[in-house]
């Protein structure tokens, strides 16, 4: 059986082994005429091979050559006993320049192909282009590809997608480096994960639950996790609000470009709470690597312990996930930080912001839109539903409305300049309105009852006065039927 060797390089292990064989002769040189006898004793022994670990023997002439090489060394016996590096080391004579050109172009066109697929397609090209030279072996080709960085890379989305191509070019042009926020609550990660176990729903059907996980970047603490049946903005805001109430508000958030993350409710809510949010680059999941590593803990430890539950329910899955993450994951020593996530979260410097009340969180995760008020009945339309506007806002033509698309039972009017909540509005209840009872209007200047006019309007009186002062004759002739006297005829005799 092969023995486990050290992590040193092969030629270094050979040098250490050879020195261990002839080292005693160097420490206690034999007397004149006794060298051959000592070498014969060493040649008769069995030794462990420095690479394979098997029992082997070495000839007297071989050990004698090691001895004299170490004895005459000028730089040190161990360095002299190392195996010589081949003169053609690092070269690949079986791979011609033409083959290198074909293989490099093929790898640039298909970086996600396996090595075997590259080898098979290159063999076809060699058949079509004999001038490229003989086809090397698979091992030689594999060695050349790895030594020149032509590794198999995962596909970053649809092949002909502009976003995937941009992500691929960016990955090739820029280095990928791990990072860590210097403070607790300085940066959070969140993402959704499709679980590998199914749950039984009350209506009698099976469904694959989706896990929302939220991690602190500095401490790796799981701030909150919860299983849902969908991955929309409603589920995201619901879980995120619980994480805020448990751990306070972070300074920034990093998540991907999913529909829930770019929803108006999510983005406007985080902005109102003073949380900076950033989206990962398209087709670049490595930017959220800590989140991906956390899913490995879920699939490798939590879910396997539930495989024996035949009729797993969603509530049951959530009930067991909370104790697991709080008592095992958050309290288990993390291999990278050398302590538990909970210890690092509590002991290191935090830059968290205080979390607001539950009501304020609920109002924060809403979108704000502009609506025109219908003058006839004081209503506005929102998501196909008509809402009544209180009469005290009847003088406003434009109204700014705050609401969450998944909950139209809570709709608010907001101040257009400050964003402050002015009041709550409700859907029109036509059945109740049919009873004929109406609330009194609020005291607004435009809603006061009209007063009787006192006479001619002031502007018209002013115009008449100005016309009279000009001295112009009357601008019309009165009709005789009105009974008014005719003006004097200048042609008649006096």
């Amino acid at each position: 059986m092969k023995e486990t060797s050290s992590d040193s390089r092969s030629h270094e292990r050979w040098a250490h082994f050879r020195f261990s064989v002839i080292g005693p002769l160097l420490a206690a040189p034999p007397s004149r005429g006794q060298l051959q006898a000592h070498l014969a004793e060493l040649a008769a022994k069995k030794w462990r091979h420095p690479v394979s670990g098997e029992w082997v023997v070495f000839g007297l002439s071989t050990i004698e050559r090691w001895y004299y090489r170490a004895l005459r060394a000028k730089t040190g016996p161990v360095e002299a006993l190392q195996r010589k590096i081949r003169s053609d080391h690092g070269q690949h004579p079986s791979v011609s320049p033409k083959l290198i050109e074909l293989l490099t172009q093929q790898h640039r066109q298909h970086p996600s192909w396996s090595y075997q697929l590259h080898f098979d397609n290159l063999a076809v090209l060699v058949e079509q282009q004999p001038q490229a030279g003989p086809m090397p072996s698979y091992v030689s080709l594999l060695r050349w590809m790895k030594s020149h960085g032509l590794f198999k890379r995962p596909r970053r989305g649809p092949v002909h997608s502009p976003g995937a191509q941009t992500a691929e070019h960016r990955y090739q042009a820029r280095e990928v480096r791990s990072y860590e926020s210097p403070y607790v609550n300085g940066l959070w990660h969140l993402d959704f994960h499709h679980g590998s176990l199914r749950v039984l729903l009350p209506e009698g059907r099976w469904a694959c639950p989706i896990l929302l996980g939220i991690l602190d970047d500095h401490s790796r603490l799981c701030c909150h996790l919860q299983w849902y049946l969908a991955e929309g903005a409603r589920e995201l805001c619901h879980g995120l609000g619980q994480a805020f109430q448990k751990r306070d508000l972070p300074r920034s958030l990093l998540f991907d470009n999913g529909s829930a993350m770019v929803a108006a409710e999510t983005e406007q809510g985080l902005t109102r709470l003073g949380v900076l949010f950033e989206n990962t680059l398209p087709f670049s999941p490595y930017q959220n690597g800590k989140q991906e590593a956390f899913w490995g803990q879920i699939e490798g430890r939590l879910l396997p312990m539930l495989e024996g539950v035949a009729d797993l329910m969603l509530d049951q899955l959530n009930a067991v996930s909370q104790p697991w993450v709080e008592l095992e994951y958050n309290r288990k020593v993390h291999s990278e930080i050398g302590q538990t996530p909970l210890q690092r979260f509590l002991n290191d410097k935090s830059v968290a912001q205080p979390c607001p009340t539950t009501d304020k969180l609920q109002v924060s995760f809403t979108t704000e839109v502009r609506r025109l008020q219908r003058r006839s009945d004081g209503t506005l339309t929102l998501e196909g539903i008509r809402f009544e506007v209180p009469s005290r806002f009847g003088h406003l033509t434009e109204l700014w409305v705050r609401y969450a698309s998944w909950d139209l039972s809570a709709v608010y009017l907001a101040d257009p300049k400050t964003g402050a909540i002015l009041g709550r509005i409700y859907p029109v209840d036509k059945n109740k309105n049919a009873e004929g009872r109406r609330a009194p209007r609020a005291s607004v200047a435009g809603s006061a009852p009209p007063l009787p006019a006192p006479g001619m309007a002031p502007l018209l009186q002013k115009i008449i006065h100005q016309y009279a002062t000009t001295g112009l004759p009357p601008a019309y002739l009165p009709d005789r039927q009105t009974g008014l006297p005719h003006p004097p005829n200048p042609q008649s005799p006096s």
Side-chain angles (χ1 to χ4, degrees), residues 92 138 415:
H92 304 270
Y138 173 77
D415 187 278

Side-chain angles (χ1 to χ4, degrees), residues 21-58:
V21 174
I22 56 94
L25 297 179
L26 299 176
S31 304
R32 182 180 296 272
Q34 300 296 320
L35 177 61
Q36 293 298 317
H38 286 281
L39 292 176
E41 292 179 2
L42 296 176
K45 290 183 177 181
K46 289 186 177 182
W47 307 90
R48 286 281 189 183
H49 194 279
V51 177
S52 66
E54 299 177 354
W55 290 103
V56 293
V57 294
F58 295 94

Side-chain angles (χ1 to χ4, degrees), residues 56 74 119 123 129 137 178 184-185 194 218 261 290 296 310 373 382 419 435:
V56 293
K74 297 180 180 180
F119 177 81
Q129 305 178 30
S137 66
S178 58
V184 173
N185 286 321
H194 292 252
H218 180 76
M261 288 70 169
K290 296 182 180 68
Q373 181 176 185
L382 189 66
E435 298 176 0

Side-chain angles (χ1 to χ4, degrees), residues 147-366:
S147 64
H148 288 77
L150 301 184
F151 302 108
K152 177 185 176 182
R153 296 199 297 270
R155 187 177 290 111
R156 303 188 186 281
V159 178
H160 302 293
S161 169
Q165 294 177 0
T166 302
E168 183 65 31
H169 294 327
R170 181 176 56 249
Y171 182 82
Q172 294 300 318
R174 299 292 182 181
E175 296 179 341
V176 176
R177 292 290 183 264
S178 58
Y179 63 92
E180 180 182 282
S181 174
Y183 304 109
V184 173
N185 286 321
L187 173 65
W188 282 10
H189 303 267
L190 67 84
D191 199 3
F192 285 100
H193 172 70
H194 292 252
S196 58
L197 288 183
R198 298 185 306 170
V199 295
L200 183 61
L201 301 182
E203 55 267 27
R205 63 180 180 89
W206 295 96
C208 292
I210 302 174
L211 177 62
L212 171 64
I214 304 172
L215 298 181
D216 176 61
D217 182 82
H218 180 76
S219 64
R220 279 68 162 179
L221 183 87
C222 180
C223 302
H224 181 68
L225 83 166
Q226 188 165 348
W227 296 90
Y228 297 96
L229 297 177
E231 50 179 327
R234 174 182 177 274
E235 289 76 18
L236 175 61
C237 296
H238 180 262
L240 196 56
Q242 296 178 73
F244 290 162
Q245 292 177 319
K246 289 180 179 179
R247 319 291 180 184
D248 282 336
L249 298 181
R251 291 294 175 176
S252 59
L253 265 171
L254 180 65
F255 40 65
D256 59 21
N257 295 273
S259 59
M261 288 70 169
V262 299
E265 291 86 350
T266 304
E267 294 185 347
Q268 294 184 23
L270 293 175
T271 302
R272 295 186 187 104
L273 295 173
V275 179
L276 179 66
F277 58 92
E278 295 288 345
N279 298 97
T280 59
L281 297 174
F283 304 104
S284 304
Y286 54 85
Q287 291 188 314
N288 222 355
K290 296 182 180 68
Q291 197 78 36
E292 300 299 328
F294 178 68
W295 302 144
Q297 294 284 332
I298 297 295
E299 296 292 342
R301 294 189 63 85
L302 174 60
L303 296 187
M305 292 188 290
L306 295 170
E307 292 175 347
V309 182
D311 52 350
L312 185 64
M313 308 289 287
L314 183 63
D315 292 342
Q316 184 181 6
L317 181 59
N318 276 315
V320 301
S321 298
Q322 300 301 325
W324 175 83
V325 75
E326 292 293 346
L327 299 182
E328 180 177 290
Y329 173 79
N330 285 343
R331 299 173 189 268
K332 182 181 178 181
V333 176
H334 196 282
S335 59
E336 186 173 353
I337 62 178
Q339 55 183 317
T340 67
L342 184 60
Q343 288 175 337
R344 203 177 203 199
F345 186 86
L346 295 176
N347 297 332
D348 288 9
K349 183 178 179 180
S350 176
V351 292
Q353 310 173 73
C355 179
T357 62
T358 304
D359 294 338
K360 186 175 180 179
L361 281 177
Q362 181 180 358
V363 176
S364 297
F365 287 110
T366 53

